[in-house]
Amino acid sequence: MKKVSDFVGKYMAIIVLVVAVLALFVPQSCLWIQTSWINYLLMLVMFGMGLTLKPVDFALVFKRPKEILIGALAQFTIMPLLAFALGKIFGLEVGLLAGVILVGTCPGGTASNVITYLSKGDVALSVGMTSVNTLLAPFLTPAITYMLLRTTVSVDVKSMFISIIKVVIIPIALGLIINKFFGKVTEKVVTILPVVSVVAITLIVAAVVSHNAERILTTGAIVFVVVILHNLLGYLLGYFLGVLLKLPVSKKKALSVEIGMQNSGLATSLATTAFPDLAMATVPGAIFSVWHNISGAILANILRKFN
C-alpha cells in the first residue's frame, strides 16, 4: 500500500489532469459522480489533514508569532486582491468572478506543505501557516468575499461560515483528537492518506468539470488564463514579500508556496453553498485544483536549486 501511496503522491498532478481532460471532453464518463458529493469528499480530505496534525503545529504560533502573522496577512490580502483585479481586468461574468474570488479568499491547502517539503523550504512554518489560516477561514473567507462582491452579487455570509465549520473545522478537529488519543493507529493510517486525498480531489474535479463541461468550453480560454495568472502571481508576490522582509531562503520558499497554492476544493464546495444560482462559480476552483498541482511540482524543482 505504501508503494501505491508513493506512486499516487508522485504523479498526482498527472492523474488529476488526465481525469479533468476526460471529464471535459467526454463528460458522460464522469457524470455518475454527483456534485452533491463534493462536501463529503472535502470533509474526508480535511479529516486526513487533521490526522497528520499535532498540537505542536499550533504551538508554532506562540514560538514564531511574527512569521505566522505575516503568512496570515499575506494569505488574506494578496490572493483576494489579485483575484478581484484579474476578474475585473479580464471582464469575467458574475459566476466566474465569484468563483475566482472564492479561490482567492480561501486559505492555503494541504498540498502547499508537500510542495514546501519538496522545495526544501521551512515545512514547520508551512504547516503552521496552513493550520492557522484554516482556523481563520470561517471568519475571514466569508467577510472578504462579501467585501469584494457585495456590489456585484448577493453573498450568503452565514451559510459560508456554517459550511466552513462543517466541512473544514469539524473534520480537522476530529482528526486532531483521534491522532492525539490513538497515535499508534493513525501512524499506520497516515501512509494511505495520499491515496485517499488524491482520489477525493480527483472526484471533486471530475464532478465539477463533467457537470459544467459545455459551459467551460463556451467560456473559451479566458478562465484558464485568469486561474493560471492568479496562481503564478501568488507564488511570485509571496517570494517577493519574503525578499522585502529579508527572510531566510527556506522561509521565502514556504511563503511563496503557501500564498500561491489555495484550498481550491473548499472554494468549489463553498460556491455550491454561497452561490447556488451561479453554476459557473464552481469552475475556477476545479481548474485551480488541476493547475496548482502541476505548477507546484514545477515550482518545487525550481526552488530546490535556491539555497
Side-chain angles (χ1 to χ4, degrees):
M1 194 65 201
K2 177 131 185 355
K3 288 182 180 178
V4 173
S5 184
D6 290 341
F7 175 84
V8 168
K10 185 177 180 181
Y11 295 103
M12 177 181 176
I14 297 171
I15 294 167
V16 176
L17 178 62
V18 168
V19 171
V21 170
L22 182 68
L24 183 61
F25 294 105
V26 193
Q28 302 90 328
S29 63
C30 299
L31 286 174
W32 59 273
I33 309 165
Q34 302 301 311
T35 53
S36 58
W37 298 1
I38 291 173
N39 279 1
Y40 301 105
L41 290 166
L42 187 59
M43 288 166 76
L44 188 62
V45 175
M46 293 296 103
F47 176 70
M49 177 183 173
L51 287 177
T52 64
L53 292 175
K54 297 179 176 66
V56 69
D57 297 323
F58 296 97
L60 195 69
V61 180
F62 304 101
K63 291 178 182 176
R64 296 156 71 175
K66 180 183 173 184
E67 294 165 7
I68 297 294
L69 180 61
I70 289 168
L73 286 172
Q75 179 69 63
F76 290 108
T77 54
I78 291 174
M79 290 305 274
L81 292 175
L82 265 179
F84 183 77
L86 288 168
K88 291 297 184 181
I89 289 167
F90 286 90
L92 295 183
E93 58 99 352
V94 176
L96 290 175
L97 176 65
V100 170
I101 286 175
L102 266 180
V103 170
T105 59
C106 281
T110 53
S112 65
N113 308 146
V114 177
I115 298 301
T116 299
Y117 170 75
L118 295 174
S119 305
K120 296 184 178 178
D122 189 331
V123 178
L125 177 59
S126 176
V127 172
M129 287 191 293
T130 301
S131 305
V132 171
N133 291 345
T134 299
L135 292 179
L136 292 172
F139 307 98
L140 295 182
T141 296
I144 299 170
T145 302
Y146 173 76
M147 285 170 60
L148 295 176
L149 285 172
R150 70 184 188 280
T151 59
T152 308
V153 64
S154 175
V155 181
D156 192 340
V157 173
K158 182 181 176 182
S159 69
M160 283 181 70
F161 175 82
I162 293 169
S163 184
I164 297 173
I165 294 291
K166 183 173 68 177
V167 174
V168 177
I169 303 301
I170 292 175
I172 287 177
L174 285 173
L176 191 63
I177 291 166
I178 290 171
N179 191 24
K180 171 72 174 174
F181 294 102
F182 303 99
K184 289 183 179 179
V185 176
T186 57
E187 278 179 19
K188 296 176 182 177
V189 175
V190 162
T191 57
I192 66 165
L193 285 181
V195 175
V196 175
S197 293
V198 171
V199 169
I201 290 167
T202 302
L203 288 173
I204 289 171
V205 169
V208 174
V209 173
S210 63
H211 285 272
N212 294 284
E214 189 177 340
R215 294 189 188 95
I216 294 171
L217 290 171
T218 55
T219 59
I222 195 73
V223 65
F224 293 92
V225 171
V226 170
V227 166
I228 290 169
L229 280 175
H230 192 199
N231 170 241
L232 296 182
L233 288 171
Y235 291 144
L236 188 64
L237 291 175
Y239 197 89
F240 183 64
L241 178 62
V243 172
L244 282 179
L245 296 172
K246 297 180 179 178
L247 298 177
V249 174
S250 64
K251 291 176 185 176
K252 288 176 193 168
K253 293 177 182 179
L255 197 57
S256 172
V257 174
E258 186 65 27
I259 292 170
M261 299 190 80
Q262 299 292 90
N263 190 338
S264 44
L266 176 59
T268 302
S269 170
L270 290 176
T272 61
T273 304
F275 307 109
D277 299 324
L278 300 175
M280 291 302 287
T282 59
V283 172
I287 295 172
F288 202 100
S289 293
V290 179
W291 168 252
H292 82 161
N293 284 301
I294 297 168
S295 67
I298 296 168
L299 181 69
N301 286 327
I302 295 171
L303 291 180
R304 282 170 68 91
K305 298 170 185 175
F306 289 62
N307 294 310

